[in-house]
Amino acid sequence: MHNLSNLHYAFLKTFFLQVILVLSMYQTLGYSRNTSSDGSEQVIYILQDVVDNFEHGLFAGGKYVDNGSDNGGFSIVQDQVHTGIYALLFETDEDGFSGPNIEPEDNFISVTKTFSIPIDASSFSHIAYWIKSNNNDPDRFVRMQIVTNENQSWFQMSKIILSDVNKAEFTRVRLPLSGSGFFMPAGATLSDFANITSITFFLVRDNNVIDSDKRSIYLDDIQFLNEPYRLSVKSNPEIGVNVETITAGNSTVSNQTTNFEISDLDDGALVSLEAEAVKNVSGNDYEFSHWNINNENQGFGNNPVSVTMYENTNAIAEYQLNQFSLTVNTETENSVPINDISIDGSLGEIKTPFTTSVRQNNLMELFAEEERTIGGETFHFKQWKINGQNREVRQRSVSFNLIEDTTAIAIYSEGDLLLTVSSISTSGVTIDGTNGGTTDFISTFNNNDNVQLTAPSSFTTGSSTSQFKNWILIKGNNSPEKKEVATLNFNISADSEAIAVYEPTLETLAGWNLVSIPTELNTQANTAITSLSSIYWEWINNSFFLAEEIKPGVGYWFFSKSFSLTSISGTTPGTKSRTLFSGWNLIGVIGSQPINKPVNSTIQGKIWTWDNKQKRYLSIEDNFQPLHKKNKMFPGHGYWIYLDSVSEITLGSE
């Protein structure tokens, strides 16, 4: 890094002795050609992307100083930017101008700044740049010189008097390459601009009075360009929008209809565009959204907008259709239409089926009847479905903003009791039996109907196969019941929930739970586990510690406020053993399969687990069905094990 900085410094110093800075690397100077949509070159930007790091080597601290001398110092600055990434600072020192080979008795004192940039500008008619200065002296000015490879020097005719330059904002200077713009060398033609070799800026004073004030001039975005420019005005969609166009200095052109063009616009011309707020097409209202100028959003609702012509410009007035259709239907769970159901809300009372047009983004509120008897059969409201998405069960009111064509369906069922059927650790399981379906689903029943649900013994998703574990049945407000059967059979007397549990699943109850994780959790499972509790305790070398992460094969204590079933799906680790400490250790099974009690001479006494339901310790050596089988350890549970010495214990089946 130091060697690179020294190389840059030596490079600059050679040219700085002549008070000329040459930046010949295109990456450093960063000039590029912009091509318009019709393929013609419109602008060459020269100072667009100057160095991306001026803190080391090139410009220490943002300002270049020549070996301690302040003569003619100048730098690249980031906080004085016009449209380029950096502007160039052209600054005199505190002792005034003292360029080389300039004697005090001369009639002027100047500092120059030169850029070596091979450019073919023969197809362009003008050159422009931006300038800002804090100088108020009417005797100081800036001039430009263009040199071609024929050593022809084209001097800018007009002086840019610094006292006339805007102090707060950049001022744009635009010069024709012939005529009144530059003094043309003898025998030169515009074709000579095909071989431009350098551009020099002269900072000049008309007399030799030297003051002690430091002066700063900022230059940015040198451009070769063509004019006149063209402004194309369109609408999207193309619906023939009226646009009032006002061009500064020209006559007002009102109510032209898109698509249209305005040609022969001067460089820097200011054009105001105002599109009509609403356009009605075939009974549909299109509402103005925003202007898009050369692919840049000008802000929603900003109308009119002003466009300054520095290139050929495309202006598009963007519109949105501000009315959408709303269809309200009622049907059974089996998608059989039932008509003449009353729906109340923001549209007043309507009867289904019903279709209308509503203004865009209006808040729609719909309220369905609780039940309706048709032909001696009573139907009970179940839920709303909005554009195919089910809303909350038994929530008769629904609200939404109309942002697209929308179909709202009120679904009714014959039964008035709800059974919610879901699955844990996997989804999309097909459940056979009474009103079966694919999880997750909701069925309806009448009071005391018999329900039978059969879960498949295993379910494969991709390359992962999960084994059925048990059913969890929750009747009304009763506590969850574990049913270790494949077919669940019961009579329904209240809204109920049946959950098919597949391995691996973590079951927790309200209170303290001793658990373990058998896999390296995937992102979804890890989020689910950490949402159960923000604090997990683990036991390491005879002490409790707050767990920093949840790892396979480790036992954890945590406190839960309620019952939960959580998927612990993930990747089974390749290593299924752990090195345990001498003394007590908290462990768990690694992998999705139960294992036999580990056999190792260092294991002393019984292995204990915590029964989260009974709130007491039980040993795996005792047969305490249905929680466990004798001498078996199961995934998801935590276990205490005692070793008389450090040893590696296998915790998973190979």
Side-chain angles (χ1 to χ4, degrees), residues 26-58:
Y26 292 156
Q27 298 154 292
T28 303
L29 190 59
Y31 93 89
S32 61
R33 293 178 183 267
N34 283 3
T35 304
S36 67
S37 57
D38 60 8
S40 62
E41 291 182 338
Q42 297 299 319
V43 180
I44 296 178
Y45 291 88
I46 298 175
L47 300 182
Q48 193 107 41
D49 299 300
V50 191
V51 295
D52 59 2
N53 184 347
F54 53 88
E55 296 177 354
H56 305 287
L58 277 176

mmCIF file of all heavy atoms in Angstrom, residues 26-58:
data_model
loop_
_atom_site.group_PDB
_atom_site.id
_atom_site.type_symbol
_atom_site.label_atom_id
_atom_site.label_comp_id
_atom_site.label_asym_id
_atom_site.label_seq_id
_atom_site.Cartn_x
_atom_site.Cartn_y
_atom_site.Cartn_z
ATOM 1 N N TYR A 26 -7.876 6.647 -17.675
ATOM 2 C CA TYR A 26 -9.316 6.807 -17.856
ATOM 3 C C TYR A 26 -10.087 6.378 -16.618
ATOM 4 O O TYR A 26 -11.132 6.914 -16.301
ATOM 5 C CB TYR A 26 -9.785 5.992 -19.057
ATOM 6 C CG TYR A 26 -9.275 6.519 -20.374
ATOM 7 C CD1 TYR A 26 -9.179 5.670 -21.459
ATOM 8 C CD2 TYR A 26 -8.902 7.849 -20.515
ATOM 9 C CE1 TYR A 26 -8.714 6.144 -22.667
ATOM 10 C CE2 TYR A 26 -8.424 8.324 -21.707
ATOM 11 C CZ TYR A 26 -8.324 7.477 -22.796
ATOM 12 O OH TYR A 26 -7.875 7.942 -23.984
ATOM 13 N N GLN A 27 -9.573 5.357 -15.879
ATOM 14 C CA GLN A 27 -10.277 4.936 -14.679
ATOM 15 C C GLN A 27 -10.280 6.065 -13.658
ATOM 16 O O GLN A 27 -11.251 6.261 -12.951
ATOM 17 C CB GLN A 27 -9.596 3.711 -14.072
ATOM 18 C CG GLN A 27 -9.612 2.516 -15.025
ATOM 19 C CD GLN A 27 -8.461 1.613 -14.722
ATOM 20 O OE1 GLN A 27 -7.325 2.001 -14.939
ATOM 21 N NE2 GLN A 27 -8.732 0.427 -14.233
ATOM 22 N N THR A 28 -9.192 6.803 -13.585
ATOM 23 C CA THR A 28 -9.110 7.896 -12.626
ATOM 24 C C THR A 28 -9.944 9.077 -13.076
ATOM 25 O O THR A 28 -10.700 9.656 -12.314
ATOM 26 C CB THR A 28 -7.642 8.329 -12.458
ATOM 27 O OG1 THR A 28 -6.888 7.202 -12.056
ATOM 28 C CG2 THR A 28 -7.530 9.420 -11.435
ATOM 29 N N LEU A 29 -9.818 9.408 -14.352
ATOM 30 C CA LEU A 29 -10.568 10.552 -14.860
ATOM 31 C C LEU A 29 -12.010 10.177 -15.097
ATOM 32 O O LEU A 29 -12.916 10.951 -14.840
ATOM 33 C CB LEU A 29 -9.932 11.046 -16.168
ATOM 34 C CG LEU A 29 -10.469 12.390 -16.671
ATOM 35 C CD1 LEU A 29 -10.243 13.445 -15.623
ATOM 36 C CD2 LEU A 29 -9.794 12.763 -17.964
ATOM 37 N N GLY A 30 -12.224 8.992 -15.593
ATOM 38 C CA GLY A 30 -13.568 8.447 -15.705
ATOM 39 C C GLY A 30 -14.425 9.101 -16.762
ATOM 40 O O GLY A 30 -15.537 9.516 -16.487
ATOM 41 N N TYR A 31 -13.959 9.251 -17.986
ATOM 42 C CA TYR A 31 -14.846 9.811 -18.993
ATOM 43 C C TYR A 31 -15.560 8.690 -19.707
ATOM 44 O O TYR A 31 -15.080 7.569 -19.803
ATOM 45 C CB TYR A 31 -14.083 10.709 -19.973
ATOM 46 C CG TYR A 31 -13.579 10.025 -21.223
ATOM 47 C CD1 TYR A 31 -14.396 9.955 -22.344
ATOM 48 C CD2 TYR A 31 -12.307 9.480 -21.285
ATOM 49 C CE1 TYR A 31 -13.941 9.355 -23.493
ATOM 50 C CE2 TYR A 31 -11.847 8.869 -22.422
ATOM 51 C CZ TYR A 31 -12.670 8.808 -23.536
ATOM 52 O OH TYR A 31 -12.238 8.213 -24.668
ATOM 53 N N SER A 32 -16.753 8.947 -20.185
ATOM 54 C CA SER A 32 -17.526 7.923 -20.873
ATOM 55 C C SER A 32 -18.401 8.568 -21.931
ATOM 56 O O SER A 32 -18.628 9.767 -21.923
ATOM 57 C CB SER A 32 -18.409 7.159 -19.879
ATOM 58 O OG SER A 32 -19.320 8.049 -19.267
ATOM 59 N N ARG A 33 -18.892 7.742 -22.845
ATOM 60 C CA ARG A 33 -19.796 8.227 -23.882
ATOM 61 C C ARG A 33 -21.198 7.711 -23.571
ATOM 62 O O ARG A 33 -21.387 6.541 -23.313
ATOM 63 C CB ARG A 33 -19.364 7.717 -25.264
ATOM 64 C CG ARG A 33 -18.020 8.287 -25.740
ATOM 65 C CD ARG A 33 -17.645 7.699 -27.081
ATOM 66 N NE ARG A 33 -16.353 8.173 -27.531
ATOM 67 C CZ ARG A 33 -16.175 9.221 -28.322
ATOM 68 N NH1 ARG A 33 -17.216 9.881 -28.741
ATOM 69 N NH2 ARG A 33 -14.967 9.594 -28.689
ATOM 70 N N ASN A 34 -22.176 8.600 -23.619
ATOM 71 C CA ASN A 34 -23.563 8.193 -23.460
ATOM 72 C C ASN A 34 -24.197 8.068 -24.829
ATOM 73 O O ASN A 34 -24.028 8.939 -25.687
ATOM 74 C CB ASN A 34 -24.349 9.222 -22.640
ATOM 75 C CG ASN A 34 -24.040 9.082 -21.175
ATOM 76 O OD1 ASN A 34 -23.210 8.266 -20.812
ATOM 77 N ND2 ASN A 34 -24.703 9.859 -20.346
ATOM 78 N N THR A 35 -24.940 6.997 -25.039
ATOM 79 C CA THR A 35 -25.590 6.767 -26.319
ATOM 80 C C THR A 35 -27.092 6.828 -26.136
ATOM 81 O O THR A 35 -27.646 6.211 -25.238
ATOM 82 C CB THR A 35 -25.188 5.393 -26.886
ATOM 83 O OG1 THR A 35 -23.777 5.334 -26.975
ATOM 84 C CG2 THR A 35 -25.800 5.158 -28.254
ATOM 85 N N SER A 36 -27.766 7.580 -26.993
ATOM 86 C CA SER A 36 -29.212 7.718 -26.885
ATOM 87 C C SER A 36 -29.888 6.486 -27.456
ATOM 88 O O SER A 36 -29.263 5.608 -28.032
ATOM 89 C CB SER A 36 -29.687 8.956 -27.639
ATOM 90 O OG SER A 36 -29.478 8.781 -29.026
ATOM 91 N N SER A 37 -31.235 6.418 -27.277
ATOM 92 C CA SER A 37 -31.981 5.248 -27.716
ATOM 93 C C SER A 37 -31.935 5.062 -29.223
ATOM 94 O O SER A 37 -32.102 3.952 -29.724
ATOM 95 C CB SER A 37 -33.443 5.375 -27.262
ATOM 96 O OG SER A 37 -34.007 6.573 -27.773
ATOM 97 N N ASP A 38 -31.714 6.142 -29.973
ATOM 98 C CA ASP A 38 -31.653 5.990 -31.428
ATOM 99 C C ASP A 38 -30.237 5.679 -31.909
ATOM 100 O O ASP A 38 -29.967 5.634 -33.103
ATOM 101 C CB ASP A 38 -32.184 7.252 -32.123
ATOM 102 C CG ASP A 38 -31.380 8.500 -31.744
ATOM 103 O OD1 ASP A 38 -30.335 8.351 -31.065
ATOM 104 O OD2 ASP A 38 -31.797 9.602 -32.125
ATOM 105 N N GLY A 39 -29.303 5.466 -30.985
ATOM 106 C CA GLY A 39 -27.962 5.030 -31.341
ATOM 107 C C GLY A 39 -26.962 6.148 -31.525
ATOM 108 O O GLY A 39 -25.774 5.900 -31.654
ATOM 109 N N SER A 40 -27.410 7.400 -31.499
ATOM 110 C CA SER A 40 -26.477 8.502 -31.710
ATOM 111 C C SER A 40 -25.832 8.900 -30.398
ATOM 112 O O SER A 40 -26.454 8.849 -29.350
ATOM 113 C CB SER A 40 -27.209 9.707 -32.308
ATOM 114 O OG SER A 40 -28.201 10.167 -31.422
ATOM 115 N N GLU A 41 -24.553 9.309 -30.453
ATOM 116 C CA GLU A 41 -23.864 9.760 -29.252
ATOM 117 C C GLU A 41 -24.333 11.172 -28.919
ATOM 118 O O GLU A 41 -24.335 12.051 -29.767
ATOM 119 C CB GLU A 41 -22.348 9.751 -29.471
ATOM 120 C CG GLU A 41 -21.777 8.351 -29.585
ATOM 121 C CD GLU A 41 -20.275 8.376 -29.756
ATOM 122 O OE1 GLU A 41 -19.753 9.418 -30.191
ATOM 123 O OE2 GLU A 41 -19.651 7.374 -29.458
ATOM 124 N N GLN A 42 -24.749 11.361 -27.665
ATOM 125 C CA GLN A 42 -25.297 12.657 -27.283
ATOM 126 C C GLN A 42 -24.331 13.469 -26.429
ATOM 127 O O GLN A 42 -24.195 14.655 -26.616
ATOM 128 C CB GLN A 42 -26.605 12.445 -26.504
ATOM 129 C CG GLN A 42 -27.693 11.785 -27.326
ATOM 130 C CD GLN A 42 -28.072 12.616 -28.528
ATOM 131 O OE1 GLN A 42 -28.182 13.831 -28.443
ATOM 132 N NE2 GLN A 42 -28.252 11.973 -29.668
ATOM 133 N N VAL A 43 -23.688 12.823 -25.494
ATOM 134 C CA VAL A 43 -22.873 13.569 -24.536
ATOM 135 C C VAL A 43 -21.639 12.753 -24.175
ATOM 136 O O VAL A 43 -21.706 11.536 -24.051
ATOM 137 C CB VAL A 43 -23.670 13.868 -23.242
ATOM 138 C CG1 VAL A 43 -22.810 14.649 -22.262
ATOM 139 C CG2 VAL A 43 -24.930 14.648 -23.568
ATOM 140 N N ILE A 44 -20.504 13.405 -24.037
ATOM 141 C CA ILE A 44 -19.333 12.781 -23.424
ATOM 142 C C ILE A 44 -19.136 13.446 -22.067
ATOM 143 O O ILE A 44 -18.957 14.653 -21.983
ATOM 144 C CB ILE A 44 -18.068 12.970 -24.280
ATOM 145 C CG1 ILE A 44 -18.224 12.259 -25.624
ATOM 146 C CG2 ILE A 44 -16.851 12.424 -23.550
ATOM 147 C CD1 ILE A 44 -17.048 12.451 -26.532
ATOM 148 N N TYR A 45 -19.223 12.654 -20.985
ATOM 149 C CA TYR A 45 -18.986 13.182 -19.655
ATOM 150 C C TYR A 45 -17.525 12.949 -19.294
ATOM 151 O O TYR A 45 -17.041 11.834 -19.390
ATOM 152 C CB TYR A 45 -19.872 12.467 -18.627
ATOM 153 C CG TYR A 45 -21.324 12.783 -18.783
ATOM 154 C CD1 TYR A 45 -22.137 12.036 -19.626
ATOM 155 C CD2 TYR A 45 -21.884 13.844 -18.087
ATOM 156 C CE1 TYR A 45 -23.484 12.331 -19.772
ATOM 157 C CE2 TYR A 45 -23.221 14.145 -18.220
ATOM 158 C CZ TYR A 45 -24.027 13.386 -19.060
ATOM 159 O OH TYR A 45 -25.347 13.682 -19.193
ATOM 160 N N ILE A 46 -16.849 13.990 -18.870
ATOM 161 C CA ILE A 46 -15.417 13.877 -18.628
ATOM 162 C C ILE A 46 -15.101 13.751 -17.138
ATOM 163 O O ILE A 46 -14.312 12.913 -16.745
ATOM 164 C CB ILE A 46 -14.673 15.081 -19.238
ATOM 165 C CG1 ILE A 46 -14.897 15.077 -20.758
ATOM 166 C CG2 ILE A 46 -13.194 14.990 -18.925
ATOM 167 C CD1 ILE A 46 -14.324 16.271 -21.436
ATOM 168 N N LEU A 47 -15.721 14.547 -16.324
ATOM 169 C CA LEU A 47 -15.388 14.518 -14.899
ATOM 170 C C LEU A 47 -16.472 13.810 -14.099
ATOM 171 O O LEU A 47 -16.844 14.241 -13.024
ATOM 172 C CB LEU A 47 -15.222 15.948 -14.361
ATOM 173 C CG LEU A 47 -14.140 16.761 -15.020
ATOM 174 C CD1 LEU A 47 -14.045 18.125 -14.367
ATOM 175 C CD2 LEU A 47 -12.804 16.054 -14.922
ATOM 176 N N GLN A 48 -17.007 12.727 -14.626
ATOM 177 C CA GLN A 48 -18.126 12.072 -13.960
ATOM 178 C C GLN A 48 -17.676 11.200 -12.795
ATOM 179 O O GLN A 48 -18.267 11.188 -11.745
ATOM 180 C CB GLN A 48 -18.882 11.197 -14.953
ATOM 181 C CG GLN A 48 -20.225 10.744 -14.429
ATOM 182 C CD GLN A 48 -21.364 11.456 -15.092
ATOM 183 O OE1 GLN A 48 -21.330 11.667 -16.279
ATOM 184 N NE2 GLN A 48 -22.349 11.857 -14.335
ATOM 185 N N ASP A 49 -16.660 10.415 -12.991
ATOM 186 C CA ASP A 49 -16.220 9.475 -11.970
ATOM 187 C C ASP A 49 -14.728 9.650 -11.723
ATOM 188 O O ASP A 49 -13.917 8.912 -12.252
ATOM 189 C CB ASP A 49 -16.489 8.032 -12.390
ATOM 190 C CG ASP A 49 -17.961 7.792 -12.611
ATOM 191 O OD1 ASP A 49 -18.723 7.971 -11.674
ATOM 192 O OD2 ASP A 49 -18.303 7.438 -13.740
ATOM 193 N N VAL A 50 -14.404 10.634 -10.951
ATOM 194 C CA VAL A 50 -13.005 10.834 -10.610
ATOM 195 C C VAL A 50 -12.662 9.787 -9.548
ATOM 196 O O VAL A 50 -13.441 8.894 -9.290
ATOM 197 C CB VAL A 50 -12.792 12.288 -10.134
ATOM 198 C CG1 VAL A 50 -11.310 12.626 -10.010
ATOM 199 C CG2 VAL A 50 -13.423 13.247 -11.126
ATOM 200 N N VAL A 51 -11.498 9.849 -8.952
ATOM 201 C CA VAL A 51 -11.053 8.776 -8.078
ATOM 202 C C VAL A 51 -12.070 8.443 -7.006
ATOM 203 O O VAL A 51 -12.762 9.305 -6.509
ATOM 204 C CB VAL A 51 -9.716 9.147 -7.397
ATOM 205 C CG1 VAL A 51 -8.615 9.264 -8.409
ATOM 206 C CG2 VAL A 51 -9.857 10.414 -6.593
ATOM 207 N N ASP A 52 -12.175 7.141 -6.667
ATOM 208 C CA ASP A 52 -13.128 6.717 -5.651
ATOM 209 C C ASP A 52 -12.503 6.693 -4.256
ATOM 210 O O ASP A 52 -13.163 6.371 -3.294
ATOM 211 C CB ASP A 52 -13.707 5.340 -5.983
ATOM 212 C CG ASP A 52 -12.635 4.282 -6.098
ATOM 213 O OD1 ASP A 52 -11.460 4.611 -5.885
ATOM 214 O OD2 ASP A 52 -12.972 3.140 -6.412
ATOM 215 N N ASN A 53 -11.236 6.988 -4.158
ATOM 216 C CA ASN A 53 -10.609 7.052 -2.837
ATOM 217 C C ASN A 53 -9.467 8.060 -2.914
ATOM 218 O O ASN A 53 -8.423 7.783 -3.470
ATOM 219 C CB ASN A 53 -10.079 5.677 -2.431
ATOM 220 C CG ASN A 53 -9.512 5.695 -1.018
ATOM 221 O OD1 ASN A 53 -9.296 6.758 -0.438
ATOM 222 N ND2 ASN A 53 -9.266 4.529 -0.469
ATOM 223 N N PHE A 54 -9.695 9.252 -2.350
ATOM 224 C CA PHE A 54 -8.667 10.282 -2.422
ATOM 225 C C PHE A 54 -8.042 10.519 -1.055
ATOM 226 O O PHE A 54 -7.436 11.541 -0.804
ATOM 227 C CB PHE A 54 -9.244 11.593 -2.964
ATOM 228 C CG PHE A 54 -10.451 12.082 -2.234
ATOM 229 C CD1 PHE A 54 -10.333 12.893 -1.119
ATOM 230 C CD2 PHE A 54 -11.713 11.748 -2.671
ATOM 231 C CE1 PHE A 54 -11.446 13.354 -0.456
ATOM 232 C CE2 PHE A 54 -12.833 12.204 -2.007
ATOM 233 C CZ PHE A 54 -12.700 13.012 -0.896
ATOM 234 N N GLU A 55 -8.162 9.553 -0.138
ATOM 235 C CA GLU A 55 -7.598 9.728 1.193
ATOM 236 C C GLU A 55 -6.160 9.221 1.290
ATOM 237 O O GLU A 55 -5.474 9.488 2.254
ATOM 238 C CB GLU A 55 -8.470 8.997 2.215
ATOM 239 C CG GLU A 55 -9.875 9.573 2.305
ATOM 240 C CD GLU A 55 -10.738 8.795 3.278
ATOM 241 O OE1 GLU A 55 -10.258 7.746 3.770
ATOM 242 O OE2 GLU A 55 -11.847 9.227 3.527
ATOM 243 N N HIS A 56 -5.733 8.462 0.307
ATOM 244 C CA HIS A 56 -4.397 7.882 0.379
ATOM 245 C C HIS A 56 -3.632 8.187 -0.900
ATOM 246 O O HIS A 56 -4.107 7.911 -1.983
ATOM 247 C CB HIS A 56 -4.470 6.367 0.588
ATOM 248 C CG HIS A 56 -5.278 5.973 1.768
ATOM 249 N ND1 HIS A 56 -4.846 6.134 3.062
ATOM 250 C CD2 HIS A 56 -6.517 5.445 1.853
ATOM 251 C CE1 HIS A 56 -5.769 5.710 3.883
ATOM 252 N NE2 HIS A 56 -6.799 5.297 3.185
ATOM 253 N N GLY A 57 -2.450 8.723 -0.767
ATOM 254 C CA GLY A 57 -1.552 8.853 -1.915
ATOM 255 C C GLY A 57 -1.881 10.030 -2.801
ATOM 256 O O GLY A 57 -1.196 11.045 -2.762
ATOM 257 N N LEU A 58 -2.947 9.904 -3.595
ATOM 258 C CA LEU A 58 -3.231 10.946 -4.586
ATOM 259 C C LEU A 58 -3.548 12.280 -3.925
ATOM 260 O O LEU A 58 -2.958 13.305 -4.241
ATOM 261 C CB LEU A 58 -4.411 10.520 -5.466
ATOM 262 C CG LEU A 58 -4.075 9.603 -6.633
ATOM 263 C CD1 LEU A 58 -5.334 9.190 -7.352
ATOM 264 C CD2 LEU A 58 -3.141 10.306 -7.603
#
